[in-house]
Amino acid sequence: MRTLLKNIKGLVGAFDEVPREVSGVAMAQFPVLHNAWLAVDNGRVADFGPMSEFPGIADWSGLDIVDVDGRWVLPAWCDSHTHTVFAHGRSEEFLMRLEGATYQEIAARGGGILNSAKALQGMAEDQLYEEAAQRVRYAMSQGVGAMEIKSGYGLTLEAERKMLRVVARLKEAMPIPIRATFLGCHAVPPGFEDAAAYTQHVAEVMLPALAGEGLVDFVDVFCEKGYFGVAETEVILEAAKSLGINGKVHVNQFNDIGGVELCVNQRAWSVDHLEVCSAEAIQHLLEGLETASLEDRSPTYPVALPGCSHFLSIPYAPGRALVDAGLPLVLASDHNPGSAPSGDMTMAVRLASLKMGLLPSEAVAAATLNGAAAMDLSREVGALGRGFRANFMVTHPMEGLQDIAYRFTDAVVDKVFLSLIHISEPTRRYAISYAVFCL
Ligand code: NIG
Ligand code: FE
């Protein structure tokens, strides 16, 4: 199956050579090809170029032509931080917040993550799967073309396995790449004396068992006052390292307890949240970037989650300062029932410009190629390089990328095209019923 998109006002992220990520000033130079065409063959980007140099069509057989009529084409969003598998929303806690309680006070009363864990432990795997699949389908219809999903609402071996099995089923059924992150250390469940005792159980029993079943691509820890300290985070990162698994770690959401320094020293794949982010933390990330480039490997990616800042009314990660320092900033949704009940990546991009001062091209780069890099997927998604998966969106008419944030409540995404190259035959028909166009 071949598709040709013509008369594209701006083709974004079409590189001749796609870099692993873009950092600092290179983020503002994320490529835009004006008045362009894009050819897709068998689910992959075949070629692209300016309309003025369109070579013509030699073979018309089985060719679909889409006249984009002056719209923009962007790589699909790559959402590298989500908690998309959960048992139910927590809108009653939202009401408690409106009545004056803080997120931390609600958690201290047994709400928050422990509340989600109780509900999830009681829900059958099939129902959990159906509800999560619904959320993934909705995210895809809003332009998401790759996603990471964490466990962490199970907190027992059995319930964490149930969550990760749901993620494994989503990987099979959905036409987008999905990464599974084991977040055993999300909160200390009842029955354990303290965070250290539970961490030992996670490192010695849960992680090896779940990794042995092939259910874990990354590990995560909620490194935060009242949850897990730097010492516990280190135990998990070391245990994961011995299994060849990298860390994507929740750090500096409410307090800086030294998580960034530890994660950079441990060569964690990413540090996520960073709402509290000092100049020293930025310096640690820069040192990590330098060492990584000397060793020719990925740096520790800084991941900002502006939806969480918006929803909890807490500071935004200093995105402008992180980019100005030369770092490869990433944007993700943090979709979860407590601190960010939305998987809308377009909103994350809008907030990045409106609240963090990012240029439109920087925000788009952070939510596409850099998001893919933060999942180790930037060789196949996040940009429109030749041979890449044809996962992209066509926007509504826009003057320029700045309209995404300027018209801050208008719909941006008109149509989403997702490649079906890795989807198995039995689930193929099912996939085609999404509100997206499958290539
Ligand atoms: O990324 N901070 C830790 N985890 C989630 C929220 C978890 C919850 O409230 O359910 C987050 O914000
Ligand atoms: Fe999170």
Side-chain angles (χ1 to χ4, degrees):
M1 194 171 154
R2 296 180 309 134
T3 308
L4 172 71
L5 289 95
K6 60 175 195 177
N7 296 324
I8 301 167
K9 181 165 185 164
L11 177 64
V12 181
F15 288 88
D16 284 323
E17 291 293 328
V18 183
R20 187 182 52 211
E21 73 272 326
V22 281
S23 305
V25 288
M27 293 181 68
Q29 293 150 10
F30 204 58
V32 176
L33 193 57
H34 292 282
N35 195 18
W37 56 273
L38 172 72
V40 176
D41 194 346
N42 202 18
R44 294 195 185 270
V45 174
D47 209 354
F48 52 80
M51 286 304 293
S52 56
E53 292 170 21
F54 183 60
I57 298 165
D59 176 9
W60 287 86
S61 62
L63 180 67
D64 256 354
I65 299 190
V66 183
D67 188 342
V68 172
D69 195 19
R71 286 143 203 256
W72 289 65
V73 170
L74 276 65
W77 306 129
C78 295
D79 192 353
S80 70
H81 182 135
T82 87
H83 307 250
T84 305
V85 177
F86 55 84
H88 65 56
R90 302 209 306 263
S91 76
E92 72 290 350
E93 292 184 3
F94 173 58
L95 184 57
M96 286 160 75
R97 282 212 290 120
L98 293 177
E99 288 164 351
T102 66
Y103 179 81
Q104 290 97 321
E105 284 163 0
I106 294 165
R109 289 183 216 154
I113 296 163
L114 293 177
N115 182 358
S116 283
K118 211 183 286 170
L120 187 135
Q121 287 163 8
M123 186 178 273
E125 183 183 309
D126 282 350
Q127 189 184 346
L128 203 53
Y129 171 78
E130 285 309 328
E131 293 185 11
Q134 213 34 52
R135 292 180 200 116
V136 175
R137 279 186 213 116
Y138 185 67
M140 292 191 304
S141 75
Q142 301 292 296
V144 170
M147 186 189 275
E148 179 257 21
I149 305 178
K150 299 173 191 300
S151 70
Y153 292 128
L155 309 181
T156 65
L157 175 58
E158 202 186 332
E160 287 290 309
R161 178 184 284 125
K162 180 164 66 178
M163 287 191 82
L164 290 170
R165 279 177 49 82
V166 166
V167 180
R169 287 169 65 181
L170 293 168
K171 285 185 182 189
E172 271 293 300
M174 297 296 158
I176 60 172
I178 293 178
R179 293 292 212 206
T181 298
F182 170 52
L183 175 51
C185 286
H186 199 191
V188 181
F192 286 87
E193 200 182 322
D194 55 19
Y198 176 59
T199 300
Q200 195 179 348
H201 174 69
V202 172
E204 290 174 6
V205 178
M206 292 167 79
L207 174 60
L210 298 168
E213 292 165 34
L215 295 171
V216 180
D217 298 318
F218 292 99
V219 289
D220 192 350
V221 176
F222 187 14
C223 180
E224 180 60 56
K225 252 185 212 167
Y227 292 84
F228 299 89
V230 166
E232 285 83 35
T233 307
E234 187 169 14
V235 168
I236 296 299
L237 291 177
E238 286 287 353
K241 205 183 287 174
S242 72
L243 298 167
I245 296 170
N246 288 302
K248 290 173 68 60
V249 187
H250 282 75
V251 295
N252 295 35
Q253 183 175 10
F254 302 109
N255 299 281
D256 182 349
I257 60 169
V260 173
E261 185 174 10
L262 169 82
C263 288
V264 168
N265 291 339
Q266 285 281 334
R267 301 173 177 198
W269 201 266
S270 70
V271 281
D272 302 38
H273 272 290
L274 302 172
E275 288 87 344
V276 181
C277 187
S278 61
E280 290 78 55
I282 295 179
Q283 199 47 43
H284 291 306
L285 285 163
L286 275 176
E287 283 159 21
L289 182 68
E290 210 175 295
T291 323
S293 99
L294 290 174
E295 295 172 1
D296 197 24
R297 61 170 170 84
S298 303
T300 299
Y301 294 102
V303 181
L305 308 167
C308 172
S309 300
H310 180 47
F311 189 72
L312 293 186
S313 301
I314 61 175
Y316 286 80
R320 182 72 268 150
L322 289 160
V323 174
D324 286 346
L327 289 159
L329 181 72
V330 178
L331 290 170
S333 74
D334 197 18
H335 188 190
N336 77 76
S339 69
S342 162
D344 183 352
M345 282 294 286
T346 306
M347 186 183 67
V349 169
R350 288 175 157 142
L351 290 172
S353 283
L354 295 169
K355 300 293 181 182
M356 291 161 46
L358 291 200
L359 293 170
S361 50
E362 292 171 332
V364 168
T368 56
L369 181 61
N370 287 1
M375 298 183 269
D376 196 14
L377 285 172
S378 60
R379 284 174 302 273
E380 57 172 316
V381 285
L384 297 169
R386 296 178 185 89
F388 269 52
R389 279 197 199 208
N391 285 6
F392 58 86
M393 64 187 99
V394 177
T395 69
H396 287 288
M398 298 194 297
E399 287 300 316
L401 289 177
Q402 71 279 6
D403 281 13
I404 298 174
Y406 171 65
R407 294 185 351 228
F408 70 101
T409 60
D410 282 7
V412 170
V413 180
D414 182 16
K415 292 185 174 59
V416 182
F417 291 77
L418 298 175
S419 154
L420 286 183
I421 43 184
H422 286 317
I423 197 156
S424 60
E425 210 39 59
T427 45
R428 216 177 160 94
R429 211 164 2 121
Y430 182 50
I432 288 174
S433 67
Y434 303 145
V436 296
F437 295 78
C438 294
L439 294 166

